[in-house]
Amino acid sequence: MKTYLANIEYAVKKLFEAINHEEDEFINLITKREAALREPEFLKNLGWEHDLQEDFDQTRVMTFFHRAAQAREKLPKRLKEIDQEIIEITDNIRLHSESTKILCGSLLQFAKQGISIVHKNLSACPIGRNIGQETLKNIILQGRNHALHYEESPNHNQQVKQCFKNLEDFGLRFCLDNQPGENLSKGIIHLLGWSGYSTFEEDMLLLS
């Protein structure tokens, strides 16, 4: 297993970098969308929610109302722009989310390939460690199978179904019936605790 890991170390590290980048972009987009969703209410109240100061002279009062009226005139156009921005941000959130899942599926592929190369017979591979009712080895195998065929839901093989059923102990995010056609690779990677190459390597060595 050490030889296999030495040969894939660079690629796997780059995968983790890409996953971290995608997750950062995802969080930034969520924050941006939340701000965009708040903006319409802010704009509708802008200029009208502030009391005029008692010492405002007539010129300042007229200027105040003139600027408020101008803001009101521009409001419909800006609201349409905000609606379009929210649609675009939401689409980008979906893209970055799917990208992260695909990258996580690639990590599972690297792990499964290591098992196959080192152990010609999968039954010869040790379980690695227990994770709830499941084992590291089986989660990698079935998680990778699901990552390749998630769009075929609910027609997964029985081994995949049973593995994810057991993982429901860790939350309904692993329930295949609740998320038909969804790639659950990101949840698998988080469950395994693979936050970087070192944690990935530790688990792979357990499968030597």
Side-chain angles (χ1 to χ4, degrees), residues 68-119:
Q70 285 183 321
R72 286 282 178 163
E73 289 177 3
K74 296 177 181 178
L75 183 60
K77 180 182 178 182
R78 179 56 189 150
L79 291 178
K80 288 182 180 180
E81 291 173 349
I82 293 172
D83 286 342
Q84 185 58 40
E85 287 174 9
I86 291 172
I87 291 172
E88 292 175 359
I89 293 171
T90 301
D91 287 342
N92 287 335
I93 287 172
R94 189 178 300 110
L95 288 172
H96 283 282
S97 176
E98 290 303 313
S99 178
T100 301
K101 294 173 185 177
I102 292 169
L103 292 168
C104 288
S106 297
L107 277 179
L108 292 171
Q109 178 61 36
F110 271 111
K112 189 273 177 186
Q113 194 64 27
I115 293 174
S116 298
I117 289 174
V118 174
H119 306 282

Side-chain angles (χ1 to χ4, degrees), residues 2-204:
K2 288 185 178 179
T3 300
Y4 175 73
L5 289 171
N7 281 281
I8 67 166
E9 180 177 354
Y10 177 83
V12 171
K13 284 182 175 179
K14 288 299 180 182
L15 261 182
F16 275 111
E17 287 179 11
I19 289 170
N20 290 334
H21 172 78
E22 291 299 313
E23 292 201 313
D24 286 344
E25 286 297 311
F26 178 84
I27 293 171
N28 289 337
L29 286 167
I30 291 292
T31 302
K32 188 175 181 180
R33 183 173 65 178
E34 290 174 350
L37 289 170
R38 292 193 299 267
E39 188 175 351
E41 190 63 27
F42 171 78
L43 291 176
K44 289 175 184 177
N45 294 325
L46 186 62
W48 301 95
E49 61 183 3
H50 304 293
D51 294 330
L52 292 173
Q53 299 297 319
E54 291 182 0
D55 60 347
F56 272 14
D57 58 27
Q58 186 175 0
T59 300
R60 294 181 70 182
V61 170
M62 293 301 294
T63 300
F64 173 87
F65 281 110
H66 177 68
R67 289 178 177 173
Q70 285 183 321
R72 286 282 178 163
E73 289 177 3
K74 296 177 181 178
L75 183 60
K77 180 182 178 182
R78 179 56 189 150
L79 291 178
K80 288 182 180 180
E81 291 173 349
I82 293 172
D83 286 342
Q84 185 58 40
E85 287 174 9
I86 291 172
I87 291 172
E88 292 175 359
I89 293 171
T90 301
D91 287 342
N92 287 335
I93 287 172
R94 189 178 300 110
L95 288 172
H96 283 282
S97 176
E98 290 303 313
S99 178
T100 301
K101 294 173 185 177
I102 292 169
L103 292 168
C104 288
S106 297
L107 277 179
L108 292 171
Q109 178 61 36
F110 271 111
K112 189 273 177 186
Q113 194 64 27
I115 293 174
S116 298
I117 289 174
V118 174
H119 306 282
K120 307 303 180 185
N121 185 345
L122 294 181
S123 62
C125 177
I127 66 169
R129 59 186 170 98
N130 291 309
I131 302 171
Q133 298 183 62
E134 275 299 335
T135 65
L136 172 64
K137 169 188 171 181
N138 198 48
I139 290 174
I140 289 173
L141 295 178
Q142 307 315 326
R144 174 263 189 182
N145 288 339
H146 176 268
L148 289 178
H149 305 289
Y150 68 90
E151 292 177 322
E152 299 174 11
S153 178
N155 300 316
H156 301 297
N157 67 46
Q158 189 55 41
Q159 289 176 308
V160 169
K161 290 180 180 179
Q162 188 58 53
C163 177
F164 277 83
K165 183 67 177 176
N166 291 339
L167 293 182
E168 288 181 27
D169 290 346
F170 297 98
L172 292 178
R173 67 184 186 278
F174 294 111
C175 179
L176 296 178
D177 292 336
N178 286 359
Q179 301 170 91
E182 287 291 320
N183 185 341
L184 304 182
S185 297
K186 179 180 176 180
I188 293 292
I189 298 304
H190 285 177
L191 176 66
L192 295 177
W194 291 355
S195 56
Y197 180 77
S198 61
T199 49
F200 172 85
E201 180 184 39
E202 287 173 9
D203 270 351
M204 292 303 294

